[in-house]
Amino acid sequence: MCSINRTRIGSSQEPAISHRQRRSIWVHMPDYQFDLEEARRLDSADPLGPLRSDFLLPETSGKSDVYFVGNSLGLQPRKTSEELQRVLDQWQHSAVHGHFEGDPAWLDLPEMVSSRMAPLVGAKPEEVVVMNTLTVNLHLMMATFYQPTETRFRVLMEEHAFPSDHQAVVSHLALRGQPAEAIVSVAPEPGSSLLSTEHILQTIEEHRESLALILLPGVQYYTGQLLEVSLITQKAQEYGIPIGFDLAHAVGNVPLQLNDWGVDFACWCTYKYLNSGPGSLGGCFIHSRHATRRDLPRLAGWWGHERQTRFEMEPDFVPSADAQGWQLSNPPILAMVPICTSLGIFEEAGGMQPLRAKSLRLTDYFRASLEHKLQDRVSVLTPADPEQYGCQLSLEIVTEQPGKTICNRLSRSSVHTDWREPHVIRAAPVPLYNSFQDVHRFVKTLADCLGQ
Ligand SMILES: *Cc1c(COP(=O)(O)O)cnc(C)c1O
């Protein structure tokens, strides 16, 4: 079930595109024709095109809908139900022995899933653990990495963070006896929706004596802005401030190098770009330099105990010397199956490099089409620099018509996006299952909806 997959369509051997090359390729838009013929041509030249058939797309009257909401809930892989059924059968036939027998034995599955997820975030296999859900993991990571003192107790985060992140931090501060004023916020400049790296670095600099933790997004959920994780981490480390990232909108969307960048911890969910089903398990990265530190406190449970002696059932806690050491409970095997299936498709694609190459093309074509057809009626909040965006474009309707009405009209025309208060339609063409023809149909339908 969880064996390493099949043939690879893309190649992870492709040389990495340097920053400068990528800018020169993508900043200058090619001369698109913006017709259906061209979208078809782009699709037939797309080496990852066949992956679309690995997914179940929603349909209306026998025709696939345009699904641009993979940033919110990724689509179901065709094989998920079959692989779930296989584990249900294993449960039926082997019952408790399924922990030790079968392919794989349930005892081996969590580490297997975690190590297969590691390449998606640029981690060593032992630096990733799949467990709980995103917000729970943020709390667990704050229990470890937020160690306030008299003078160093502040937490830097964005002013418009995703509500759950904000609520987690505020409640965590209260639990630890810290005032809500301990939060230092970074926000876009007036008149902009985007966070400037310069401003983040300056804020770190300014509060370097009092910051005990930095928590930022990889990709901002509202604007789709990809932050300069590497530079920001470097600055935090200059001053010895622990730094973590919420990668909900970054994982499976953009390539990440968490180990190389030296990030302390990161948390993400697997139901967005990782297509593992509604409310599926979260992922967590803990840098290997922390794995054997005995001075770091944590909330513990028996599944974080080192594996060799876990079943000796001694009361003392000896943590596993890797990210698995932060687990609490006996992991939910059924919930891990869809993650395995999904990771198989990422492996088939050849990993994040080929997916990112297609994603840049797809989103570039999307932006160019919007600018060509709807420039006076739609504005794009997402940065135009390819170093600063992933799949998603955040669209603001600049006509009299309320954006939310347009979003609903799109949905009635079988074109799915999502609405985020106060102003934004988020639309994410995903390289695993979206096509250039989807983009073409999206823009045509949006033009129709605006014309009504
Ligand atoms: C999707 C998302 C969450 C969701 O958290 P759960 O605990 O999985 O419900 C949290 N933070 C951000 C930034 C998100 O985008």
Side-chain angles (χ1 to χ4, degrees), residues 311-346:
F311 294 101
E312 290 174 9
M313 309 305 260
E314 295 294 333
D316 284 347
F317 181 66
V318 181
S320 180
D322 53 19
Q324 304 291 324
W326 272 263
Q327 281 193 92
L328 301 179
S329 297
N330 176 11
I333 297 301
L334 287 173
M336 292 203 166
V337 174
I339 302 178
C340 264
T341 310
S342 163
L343 291 173
I345 302 176
F346 278 88

PDB file of all heavy atoms in Angstrom, residues 311-346:
ATOM      1  N   PHE A 311       7.350  -0.187  25.069  1.00  0.00           N
ATOM      2  CA  PHE A 311       6.425  -1.183  25.616  1.00  0.00           C
ATOM      3  C   PHE A 311       6.933  -1.851  26.888  1.00  0.00           C
ATOM      4  O   PHE A 311       6.341  -2.797  27.385  1.00  0.00           O
ATOM      5  CB  PHE A 311       6.041  -2.201  24.531  1.00  0.00           C
ATOM      6  CG  PHE A 311       5.237  -1.554  23.436  1.00  0.00           C
ATOM      7  CD1 PHE A 311       5.823  -1.206  22.232  1.00  0.00           C
ATOM      8  CD2 PHE A 311       3.901  -1.236  23.637  1.00  0.00           C
ATOM      9  CE1 PHE A 311       5.094  -0.570  21.236  1.00  0.00           C
ATOM     10  CE2 PHE A 311       3.153  -0.605  22.651  1.00  0.00           C
ATOM     11  CZ  PHE A 311       3.757  -0.264  21.450  1.00  0.00           C
ATOM     12  N   GLU A 312       8.044  -1.331  27.417  1.00  0.00           N
ATOM     13  CA  GLU A 312       8.444  -1.777  28.756  1.00  0.00           C
ATOM     14  C   GLU A 312       7.555  -1.132  29.807  1.00  0.00           C
ATOM     15  O   GLU A 312       7.581  -1.511  30.978  1.00  0.00           O
ATOM     16  CB  GLU A 312       9.928  -1.463  29.003  1.00  0.00           C
ATOM     17  CG  GLU A 312      10.817  -2.357  28.139  1.00  0.00           C
ATOM     18  CD  GLU A 312      12.295  -2.005  28.209  1.00  0.00           C
ATOM     19  OE1 GLU A 312      12.698  -1.170  29.055  1.00  0.00           O
ATOM     20  OE2 GLU A 312      13.047  -2.573  27.397  1.00  0.00           O
ATOM     21  N   MET A 313       6.790  -0.160  29.372  1.00  0.00           N
ATOM     22  CA  MET A 313       5.746   0.459  30.204  1.00  0.00           C
ATOM     23  C   MET A 313       6.277   1.069  31.495  1.00  0.00           C
ATOM     24  O   MET A 313       5.617   1.035  32.520  1.00  0.00           O
ATOM     25  CB  MET A 313       4.619  -0.556  30.502  1.00  0.00           C
ATOM     26  CG  MET A 313       4.048  -1.262  29.286  1.00  0.00           C
ATOM     27  SD  MET A 313       3.454  -0.133  28.012  1.00  0.00           S
ATOM     28  CE  MET A 313       1.695  -0.145  28.319  1.00  0.00           C
ATOM     29  N   GLU A 314       7.485   1.630  31.420  1.00  0.00           N
ATOM     30  CA  GLU A 314       8.025   2.349  32.581  1.00  0.00           C
ATOM     31  C   GLU A 314       7.420   3.752  32.628  1.00  0.00           C
ATOM     32  O   GLU A 314       7.133   4.329  31.588  1.00  0.00           O
ATOM     33  CB  GLU A 314       9.554   2.457  32.463  1.00  0.00           C
ATOM     34  CG  GLU A 314      10.280   1.126  32.526  1.00  0.00           C
ATOM     35  CD  GLU A 314      10.141   0.458  33.883  1.00  0.00           C
ATOM     36  OE1 GLU A 314       9.948   1.183  34.889  1.00  0.00           O
ATOM     37  OE2 GLU A 314      10.193  -0.793  33.932  1.00  0.00           O
ATOM     38  N   PRO A 315       7.256   4.314  33.808  1.00  0.00           N
ATOM     39  CA  PRO A 315       6.644   5.649  33.881  1.00  0.00           C
ATOM     40  C   PRO A 315       7.541   6.768  33.346  1.00  0.00           C
ATOM     41  O   PRO A 315       7.040   7.771  32.859  1.00  0.00           O
ATOM     42  CB  PRO A 315       6.372   5.845  35.381  1.00  0.00           C
ATOM     43  CG  PRO A 315       7.261   4.877  36.077  1.00  0.00           C
ATOM     44  CD  PRO A 315       7.502   3.737  35.147  1.00  0.00           C
ATOM     45  N   ASP A 316       8.866   6.623  33.445  1.00  0.00           N
ATOM     46  CA  ASP A 316       9.742   7.716  33.006  1.00  0.00           C
ATOM     47  C   ASP A 316       9.684   7.887  31.497  1.00  0.00           C
ATOM     48  O   ASP A 316       9.630   6.914  30.757  1.00  0.00           O
ATOM     49  CB  ASP A 316      11.190   7.447  33.426  1.00  0.00           C
ATOM     50  CG  ASP A 316      11.368   7.710  34.911  1.00  0.00           C
ATOM     51  OD1 ASP A 316      10.455   8.319  35.504  1.00  0.00           O
ATOM     52  OD2 ASP A 316      12.399   7.272  35.465  1.00  0.00           O
ATOM     53  N   PHE A 317       9.747   9.137  31.081  1.00  0.00           N
ATOM     54  CA  PHE A 317       9.655   9.452  29.659  1.00  0.00           C
ATOM     55  C   PHE A 317      11.047   9.597  29.052  1.00  0.00           C
ATOM     56  O   PHE A 317      11.835  10.456  29.451  1.00  0.00           O
ATOM     57  CB  PHE A 317       8.875  10.766  29.485  1.00  0.00           C
ATOM     58  CG  PHE A 317       8.695  11.183  28.052  1.00  0.00           C
ATOM     59  CD1 PHE A 317       7.923  10.430  27.176  1.00  0.00           C
ATOM     60  CD2 PHE A 317       9.292  12.359  27.581  1.00  0.00           C
ATOM     61  CE1 PHE A 317       7.742  10.831  25.853  1.00  0.00           C
ATOM     62  CE2 PHE A 317       9.114  12.758  26.255  1.00  0.00           C
ATOM     63  CZ  PHE A 317       8.341  11.996  25.391  1.00  0.00           C
ATOM     64  N   VAL A 318      11.356   8.735  28.085  1.00  0.00           N
ATOM     65  CA  VAL A 318      12.614   8.858  27.342  1.00  0.00           C
ATOM     66  C   VAL A 318      12.227   9.181  25.899  1.00  0.00           C
ATOM     67  O   VAL A 318      11.780   8.312  25.155  1.00  0.00           O
ATOM     68  CB  VAL A 318      13.419   7.546  27.381  1.00  0.00           C
ATOM     69  CG1 VAL A 318      14.740   7.705  26.634  1.00  0.00           C
ATOM     70  CG2 VAL A 318      13.648   7.104  28.817  1.00  0.00           C
ATOM     71  N   PRO A 319      12.365  10.459  25.506  1.00  0.00           N
ATOM     72  CA  PRO A 319      11.842  10.842  24.192  1.00  0.00           C
ATOM     73  C   PRO A 319      12.628  10.223  23.039  1.00  0.00           C
ATOM     74  O   PRO A 319      13.847  10.088  23.119  1.00  0.00           O
ATOM     75  CB  PRO A 319      11.986  12.368  24.173  1.00  0.00           C
ATOM     76  CG  PRO A 319      12.950  12.712  25.250  1.00  0.00           C
ATOM     77  CD  PRO A 319      12.933  11.600  26.247  1.00  0.00           C
ATOM     78  N   SER A 320      11.909   9.859  22.013  1.00  0.00           N
ATOM     79  CA  SER A 320      12.521   9.443  20.762  1.00  0.00           C
ATOM     80  C   SER A 320      13.393  10.607  20.274  1.00  0.00           C
ATOM     81  O   SER A 320      12.963  11.766  20.336  1.00  0.00           O
ATOM     82  CB  SER A 320      11.384   9.158  19.776  1.00  0.00           C
ATOM     83  OG  SER A 320      11.895   8.746  18.561  1.00  0.00           O
ATOM     84  N   ALA A 321      14.616  10.311  19.821  1.00  0.00           N
ATOM     85  CA  ALA A 321      15.568  11.385  19.511  1.00  0.00           C
ATOM     86  C   ALA A 321      15.334  11.969  18.117  1.00  0.00           C
ATOM     87  O   ALA A 321      16.257  12.128  17.315  1.00  0.00           O
ATOM     88  CB  ALA A 321      16.992  10.861  19.647  1.00  0.00           C
ATOM     89  N   ASP A 322      14.106  12.247  17.808  1.00  0.00           N
ATOM     90  CA  ASP A 322      13.747  12.833  16.516  1.00  0.00           C
ATOM     91  C   ASP A 322      12.363  13.473  16.653  1.00  0.00           C
ATOM     92  O   ASP A 322      11.833  13.548  17.759  1.00  0.00           O
ATOM     93  CB  ASP A 322      13.755  11.755  15.417  1.00  0.00           C
ATOM     94  CG  ASP A 322      12.897  10.542  15.778  1.00  0.00           C
ATOM     95  OD1 ASP A 322      12.025  10.671  16.665  1.00  0.00           O
ATOM     96  OD2 ASP A 322      13.098   9.475  15.184  1.00  0.00           O
ATOM     97  N   ALA A 323      11.808  13.905  15.535  1.00  0.00           N
ATOM     98  CA  ALA A 323      10.512  14.599  15.609  1.00  0.00           C
ATOM     99  C   ALA A 323       9.414  13.695  16.181  1.00  0.00           C
ATOM    100  O   ALA A 323       8.457  14.187  16.783  1.00  0.00           O
ATOM    101  CB  ALA A 323      10.118  15.103  14.222  1.00  0.00           C
ATOM    102  N   GLN A 324       9.551  12.379  16.015  1.00  0.00           N
ATOM    103  CA  GLN A 324       8.540  11.458  16.558  1.00  0.00           C
ATOM    104  C   GLN A 324       8.423  11.600  18.083  1.00  0.00           C
ATOM    105  O   GLN A 324       7.412  11.211  18.663  1.00  0.00           O
ATOM    106  CB  GLN A 324       8.892   9.990  16.224  1.00  0.00           C
ATOM    107  CG  GLN A 324       9.081   9.679  14.732  1.00  0.00           C
ATOM    108  CD  GLN A 324       7.800   9.753  13.920  1.00  0.00           C
ATOM    109  OE1 GLN A 324       6.733   9.391  14.387  1.00  0.00           O
ATOM    110  NE2 GLN A 324       7.922  10.233  12.685  1.00  0.00           N
ATOM    111  N   GLY A 325       9.459  12.148  18.703  1.00  0.00           N
ATOM    112  CA  GLY A 325       9.467  12.322  20.154  1.00  0.00           C
ATOM    113  C   GLY A 325       8.432  13.323  20.661  1.00  0.00           C
ATOM    114  O   GLY A 325       8.270  13.476  21.870  1.00  0.00           O
ATOM    115  N   TRP A 326       7.790  14.055  19.733  1.00  0.00           N
ATOM    116  CA  TRP A 326       6.747  15.012  20.152  1.00  0.00           C
ATOM    117  C   TRP A 326       5.338  14.422  20.024  1.00  0.00           C
ATOM    118  O   TRP A 326       4.361  15.082  20.307  1.00  0.00           O
ATOM    119  CB  TRP A 326       6.862  16.311  19.356  1.00  0.00           C
ATOM    120  CG  TRP A 326       7.799  17.298  19.999  1.00  0.00           C
ATOM    121  CD1 TRP A 326       7.432  18.335  20.807  1.00  0.00           C
ATOM    122  CD2 TRP A 326       9.225  17.346  19.911  1.00  0.00           C
ATOM    123  NE1 TRP A 326       8.549  19.023  21.228  1.00  0.00           N
ATOM    124  CE2 TRP A 326       9.668  18.441  20.694  1.00  0.00           C
ATOM    125  CE3 TRP A 326      10.198  16.575  19.260  1.00  0.00           C
ATOM    126  CZ2 TRP A 326      11.016  18.790  20.830  1.00  0.00           C
ATOM    127  CZ3 TRP A 326      11.526  16.908  19.393  1.00  0.00           C
ATOM    128  CH2 TRP A 326      11.939  18.000  20.173  1.00  0.00           C
ATOM    129  N   GLN A 327       5.251  13.155  19.585  1.00  0.00           N
ATOM    130  CA  GLN A 327       3.924  12.540  19.494  1.00  0.00           C
ATOM    131  C   GLN A 327       3.376  12.270  20.875  1.00  0.00           C
ATOM    132  O   GLN A 327       4.130  12.021  21.813  1.00  0.00           O
ATOM    133  CB  GLN A 327       4.033  11.187  18.800  1.00  0.00           C
ATOM    134  CG  GLN A 327       4.150  11.276  17.324  1.00  0.00           C
ATOM    135  CD  GLN A 327       3.930   9.903  16.718  1.00  0.00           C
ATOM    136  OE1 GLN A 327       2.821   9.544  16.362  1.00  0.00           O
ATOM    137  NE2 GLN A 327       5.002   9.143  16.653  1.00  0.00           N
ATOM    138  N   LEU A 328       2.067  12.260  20.970  1.00  0.00           N
ATOM    139  CA  LEU A 328       1.448  11.951  22.248  1.00  0.00           C
ATOM    140  C   LEU A 328       0.828  10.557  22.225  1.00  0.00           C
ATOM    141  O   LEU A 328       1.044   9.758  23.129  1.00  0.00           O
ATOM    142  CB  LEU A 328       0.365  12.980  22.578  1.00  0.00           C
ATOM    143  CG  LEU A 328       0.820  14.447  22.657  1.00  0.00           C
ATOM    144  CD1 LEU A 328      -0.364  15.341  22.978  1.00  0.00           C
ATOM    145  CD2 LEU A 328       1.907  14.626  23.713  1.00  0.00           C
ATOM    146  N   SER A 329       0.044  10.308  21.190  1.00  0.00           N
ATOM    147  CA  SER A 329      -0.839   9.143  21.217  1.00  0.00           C
ATOM    148  C   SER A 329      -0.551   8.166  20.098  1.00  0.00           C
ATOM    149  O   SER A 329       0.031   8.502  19.070  1.00  0.00           O
ATOM    150  CB  SER A 329      -2.295   9.608  21.065  1.00  0.00           C
ATOM    151  OG  SER A 329      -2.666  10.415  22.151  1.00  0.00           O
ATOM    152  N   ASN A 330      -1.041   7.005  20.309  1.00  0.00           N
ATOM    153  CA  ASN A 330      -1.178   5.937  19.344  1.00  0.00           C
ATOM    154  C   ASN A 330      -1.845   6.521  18.077  1.00  0.00           C
ATOM    155  O   ASN A 330      -2.958   7.013  18.145  1.00  0.00           O
ATOM    156  CB  ASN A 330      -2.073   4.964  20.111  1.00  0.00           C
ATOM    157  CG  ASN A 330      -2.511   3.765  19.376  1.00  0.00           C
ATOM    158  OD1 ASN A 330      -2.027   3.457  18.303  1.00  0.00           O
ATOM    159  ND2 ASN A 330      -3.465   3.065  19.974  1.00  0.00           N
ATOM    160  N   PRO A 331      -1.134   6.550  16.951  1.00  0.00           N
ATOM    161  CA  PRO A 331      -1.634   7.331  15.803  1.00  0.00           C
ATOM    162  C   PRO A 331      -2.823   6.691  15.067  1.00  0.00           C
ATOM    163  O   PRO A 331      -2.935   5.475  15.020  1.00  0.00           O
ATOM    164  CB  PRO A 331      -0.428   7.382  14.863  1.00  0.00           C
ATOM    165  CG  PRO A 331       0.676   6.675  15.532  1.00  0.00           C
ATOM    166  CD  PRO A 331       0.164   5.938  16.720  1.00  0.00           C
ATOM    167  N   PRO A 332      -3.688   7.523  14.500  1.00  0.00           N
ATOM    168  CA  PRO A 332      -4.862   7.031  13.777  1.00  0.00           C
ATOM    169  C   PRO A 332      -4.479   6.492  12.397  1.00  0.00           C
ATOM    170  O   PRO A 332      -4.243   7.266  11.467  1.00  0.00           O
ATOM    171  CB  PRO A 332      -5.747   8.275  13.656  1.00  0.00           C
ATOM    172  CG  PRO A 332      -4.794   9.420  13.708  1.00  0.00           C
ATOM    173  CD  PRO A 332      -3.600   8.982  14.498  1.00  0.00           C
ATOM    174  N   ILE A 333      -4.416   5.197  12.294  1.00  0.00           N
ATOM    175  CA  ILE A 333      -3.939   4.554  11.061  1.00  0.00           C
ATOM    176  C   ILE A 333      -4.845   4.862   9.867  1.00  0.00           C
ATOM    177  O   ILE A 333      -4.369   5.155   8.775  1.00  0.00           O
ATOM    178  CB  ILE A 333      -3.829   3.027  11.284  1.00  0.00           C
ATOM    179  CG1 ILE A 333      -2.781   2.746  12.373  1.00  0.00           C
ATOM    180  CG2 ILE A 333      -3.497   2.298   9.990  1.00  0.00           C
ATOM    181  CD1 ILE A 333      -1.391   3.248  12.097  1.00  0.00           C
ATOM    182  N   LEU A 334      -6.156   4.823  10.097  1.00  0.00           N
ATOM    183  CA  LEU A 334      -7.061   5.084   8.970  1.00  0.00           C
ATOM    184  C   LEU A 334      -6.844   6.477   8.394  1.00  0.00           C
ATOM    185  O   LEU A 334      -6.948   6.685   7.198  1.00  0.00           O
ATOM    186  CB  LEU A 334      -8.526   4.915   9.405  1.00  0.00           C
ATOM    187  CG  LEU A 334      -8.952   3.466   9.630  1.00  0.00           C
ATOM    188  CD1 LEU A 334     -10.352   3.421  10.227  1.00  0.00           C
ATOM    189  CD2 LEU A 334      -8.904   2.671   8.330  1.00  0.00           C
ATOM    190  N   ALA A 335      -6.524   7.434   9.262  1.00  0.00           N
ATOM    191  CA  ALA A 335      -6.307   8.801   8.790  1.00  0.00           C
ATOM    192  C   ALA A 335      -4.981   8.942   8.047  1.00  0.00           C
ATOM    193  O   ALA A 335      -4.775   9.905   7.307  1.00  0.00           O
ATOM    194  CB  ALA A 335      -6.360   9.764   9.972  1.00  0.00           C
ATOM    195  N   MET A 336      -4.076   7.989   8.262  1.00  0.00           N
ATOM    196  CA  MET A 336      -2.780   8.091   7.584  1.00  0.00           C
ATOM    197  C   MET A 336      -2.816   7.542   6.165  1.00  0.00           C
ATOM    198  O   MET A 336      -1.975   7.885   5.334  1.00  0.00           O
ATOM    199  CB  MET A 336      -1.723   7.331   8.370  1.00  0.00           C
ATOM    200  CG  MET A 336      -1.456   8.026   9.675  1.00  0.00           C
ATOM    201  SD  MET A 336       0.150   7.629  10.315  1.00  0.00           S
ATOM    202  CE  MET A 336       0.268   8.926  11.553  1.00  0.00           C
ATOM    203  N   VAL A 337      -3.803   6.692   5.904  1.00  0.00           N
ATOM    204  CA  VAL A 337      -3.856   6.050   4.589  1.00  0.00           C
ATOM    205  C   VAL A 337      -4.001   7.062   3.444  1.00  0.00           C
ATOM    206  O   VAL A 337      -3.233   7.019   2.473  1.00  0.00           O
ATOM    207  CB  VAL A 337      -4.986   4.989   4.562  1.00  0.00           C
ATOM    208  CG1 VAL A 337      -5.155   4.426   3.165  1.00  0.00           C
ATOM    209  CG2 VAL A 337      -4.672   3.896   5.572  1.00  0.00           C
ATOM    210  N   PRO A 338      -4.943   8.013   3.536  1.00  0.00           N
ATOM    211  CA  PRO A 338      -5.065   8.971   2.427  1.00  0.00           C
ATOM    212  C   PRO A 338      -3.794   9.819   2.252  1.00  0.00           C
ATOM    213  O   PRO A 338      -3.505  10.265   1.140  1.00  0.00           O
ATOM    214  CB  PRO A 338      -6.235   9.874   2.847  1.00  0.00           C
ATOM    215  CG  PRO A 338      -6.981   9.089   3.860  1.00  0.00           C
ATOM    216  CD  PRO A 338      -5.980   8.234   4.560  1.00  0.00           C
ATOM    217  N   ILE A 339      -3.056  10.016   3.325  1.00  0.00           N
ATOM    218  CA  ILE A 339      -1.802  10.785   3.205  1.00  0.00           C
ATOM    219  C   ILE A 339      -0.795   9.985   2.380  1.00  0.00           C
ATOM    220  O   ILE A 339      -0.128  10.506   1.495  1.00  0.00           O
ATOM    221  CB  ILE A 339      -1.238  11.150   4.597  1.00  0.00           C
ATOM    222  CG1 ILE A 339      -2.279  11.955   5.388  1.00  0.00           C
ATOM    223  CG2 ILE A 339       0.063  11.914   4.469  1.00  0.00           C
ATOM    224  CD1 ILE A 339      -1.848  12.342   6.799  1.00  0.00           C
ATOM    225  N   CYS A 340      -0.725   8.675   2.674  1.00  0.00           N
ATOM    226  CA  CYS A 340       0.154   7.791   1.899  1.00  0.00           C
ATOM    227  C   CYS A 340      -0.193   7.829   0.415  1.00  0.00           C
ATOM    228  O   CYS A 340       0.688   7.941  -0.437  1.00  0.00           O
ATOM    229  CB  CYS A 340      -0.074   6.345   2.331  1.00  0.00           C
ATOM    230  SG  CYS A 340       1.075   5.795   3.523  1.00  0.00           S
ATOM    231  N   THR A 341      -1.485   7.721   0.134  1.00  0.00           N
ATOM    232  CA  THR A 341      -1.922   7.715  -1.264  1.00  0.00           C
ATOM    233  C   THR A 341      -1.509   9.018  -1.939  1.00  0.00           C
ATOM    234  O   THR A 341      -0.991   9.026  -3.055  1.00  0.00           O
ATOM    235  CB  THR A 341      -3.467   7.602  -1.328  1.00  0.00           C
ATOM    236  OG1 THR A 341      -3.864   6.514  -0.502  1.00  0.00           O
ATOM    237  CG2 THR A 341      -3.944   7.398  -2.744  1.00  0.00           C
ATOM    238  N   SER A 342      -1.718  10.114  -1.229  1.00  0.00           N
ATOM    239  CA  SER A 342      -1.389  11.415  -1.787  1.00  0.00           C
ATOM    240  C   SER A 342       0.120  11.563  -2.016  1.00  0.00           C
ATOM    241  O   SER A 342       0.561  12.043  -3.066  1.00  0.00           O
ATOM    242  CB  SER A 342      -1.879  12.492  -0.819  1.00  0.00           C
ATOM    243  OG  SER A 342      -1.271  13.715  -1.111  1.00  0.00           O
ATOM    244  N   LEU A 343       0.917  11.106  -1.049  1.00  0.00           N
ATOM    245  CA  LEU A 343       2.375  11.230  -1.204  1.00  0.00           C
ATOM    246  C   LEU A 343       2.851  10.430  -2.413  1.00  0.00           C
ATOM    247  O   LEU A 343       3.790  10.820  -3.096  1.00  0.00           O
ATOM    248  CB  LEU A 343       3.085  10.781   0.076  1.00  0.00           C
ATOM    249  CG  LEU A 343       2.877  11.711   1.278  1.00  0.00           C
ATOM    250  CD1 LEU A 343       3.472  11.104   2.552  1.00  0.00           C
ATOM    251  CD2 LEU A 343       3.494  13.094   1.017  1.00  0.00           C
ATOM    252  N   GLY A 344       2.165   9.306  -2.675  1.00  0.00           N
ATOM    253  CA  GLY A 344       2.504   8.504  -3.865  1.00  0.00           C
ATOM    254  C   GLY A 344       2.372   9.325  -5.136  1.00  0.00           C
ATOM    255  O   GLY A 344       3.189   9.200  -6.056  1.00  0.00           O
ATOM    256  N   ILE A 345       1.382  10.205  -5.188  1.00  0.00           N
ATOM    257  CA  ILE A 345       1.195  11.023  -6.400  1.00  0.00           C
ATOM    258  C   ILE A 345       2.292  12.089  -6.503  1.00  0.00           C
ATOM    259  O   ILE A 345       2.801  12.364  -7.586  1.00  0.00           O
ATOM    260  CB  ILE A 345      -0.212  11.661  -6.428  1.00  0.00           C
ATOM    261  CG1 ILE A 345      -1.273  10.554  -6.374  1.00  0.00           C
ATOM    262  CG2 ILE A 345      -0.394  12.498  -7.689  1.00  0.00           C
ATOM    263  CD1 ILE A 345      -2.701  11.073  -6.297  1.00  0.00           C
ATOM    264  N   PHE A 346       2.670  12.665  -5.362  1.00  0.00           N
ATOM    265  CA  PHE A 346       3.788  13.627  -5.389  1.00  0.00           C
ATOM    266  C   PHE A 346       5.084  12.946  -5.859  1.00  0.00           C
ATOM    267  O   PHE A 346       5.882  13.532  -6.592  1.00  0.00           O
ATOM    268  CB  PHE A 346       3.988  14.283  -4.012  1.00  0.00           C
ATOM    269  CG  PHE A 346       3.049  15.425  -3.756  1.00  0.00           C
ATOM    270  CD1 PHE A 346       1.802  15.211  -3.200  1.00  0.00           C
ATOM    271  CD2 PHE A 346       3.400  16.731  -4.104  1.00  0.00           C
ATOM    272  CE1 PHE A 346       0.921  16.266  -2.971  1.00  0.00           C
ATOM    273  CE2 PHE A 346       2.527  17.791  -3.890  1.00  0.00           C
ATOM    274  CZ  PHE A 346       1.279  17.554  -3.327  1.00  0.00           C
TER     275      PHE A 346
END
